């Protein structure tokens, strides 16, 4: 459970602090991670981090 909370905080922080190709994507990712974290966190960490701009796209895996 503590790992899940840490990952959730990490994802929300990462989404909020970085620029995306468009603001709609950022809002969708944020809502998905907040509303459905069990599905949103893994999807964000695996797929959507590569769509960001302005930061090296490293996955934690």
């Amino acid at each position: 459970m503590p790992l899940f909370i840490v990952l959730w905080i990490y994802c929300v922080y990462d989404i909020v602090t970085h620029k995306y190709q468009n603001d709609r994507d950022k809002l969708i990712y944020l809502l998905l991670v907040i509303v459905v974290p069990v599905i949103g966190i893994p999807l964000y960490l695996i797929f959507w981090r590569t769509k960001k701009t302005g930061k090296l796209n490293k996955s934690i895996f």
Side-chain angles (χ1 to χ4, degrees):
M1 189 66 165
L3 178 62
F4 182 77
I5 294 170
V6 169
L7 283 174
W8 184 81
I9 292 170
Y10 170 76
C11 288
V12 170
Y13 173 78
D14 198 47
I15 292 168
V16 170
T17 59
H18 291 93
K19 294 187 178 195
Y20 285 79
Q21 293 174 355
N22 74 47
D23 290 333
R24 184 183 61 164
D25 288 345
K26 186 175 188 172
L27 180 62
I28 290 170
Y29 303 151
L30 186 61
L31 286 175
L32 186 61
V33 168
I34 290 174
V35 175
V36 191
V38 174
I39 297 170
I41 290 171
L43 290 176
Y44 177 73
L45 292 173
I46 294 169
F47 297 110
W48 293 327
R49 287 197 75 219
T50 60
K51 292 188 177 187
K52 291 191 312 186
T53 60
K55 181 181 173 185
L56 292 176
N57 294 323
K58 293 182 181 177
S59 178
I60 64 169
F61 295 111

